[in-house]
Amino acid sequence: MISHEHHHHHTLAPSGQGTVVLNIGAGIGALVVHTPASLHGHEIEVSPVTDPASRKHAAVRARFVRGGVSFAVVVDSLPTGRYTVWRDPVTPLAEVDVPDGGVAELAWPPASVAAA
């Protein structure tokens, strides 16, 4: 879900190479959602497919990578399983499997940028 309501104050400064630390391990994984630049600062929500009301959110940030800058949201500490990525409060964007001790990645479709 994209939200302008910030429940937590996120640092939206760009991250440099090698500055993201993920909490992953036995039974725990992470999700990286690559987004268009227009979503910078927006919060994206994810929830277990089986429990849509139990949502976790993180802010889209600029990330400096080899060759330039990309925009992404990183959600770690997710129990292994299938998750819904929310386009807005009521519309699911996609489902993704978060692996045990690994990182799942999803590309946000450019045509799916929700209105603010």
Side-chain angles (χ1 to χ4, degrees):
M1 174 184 94
I2 301 174
S3 172
H4 285 290
E5 298 176 24
H6 296 282
H7 303 285
H8 304 289
H9 293 285
H10 294 283
T11 299
L12 297 177
S15 64
Q17 291 181 352
T19 61
V20 177
V21 177
L22 300 177
N23 179 28
I24 60 176
I28 303 291
L31 172 62
V32 175
V33 181
H34 302 277
T35 70
S38 61
L39 293 180
H40 183 249
H42 292 266
E43 292 191 355
I44 307 297
E45 288 190 339
V46 302
S47 68
V49 169
T50 57
D51 188 8
S54 180
R55 297 186 183 187
K56 186 171 180 178
H57 67 271
V60 174
R61 294 181 52 199
R63 310 213 179 250
F64 291 112
V65 295
R66 189 177 316 173
V69 64
S70 68
F71 293 85
V73 61
V74 178
V75 185
D76 70 341
S77 301
L78 294 173
T80 301
R82 190 155 184 86
Y83 286 81
T84 300
V85 177
W86 294 90
R87 180 182 182 275
D88 59 45
V90 296
T91 311
L93 174 75
E95 290 184 6
V96 62
D97 291 310
V98 172
D100 184 16
V103 179
E105 293 187 70
L106 175 72
W108 187 285
S112 294
V113 175

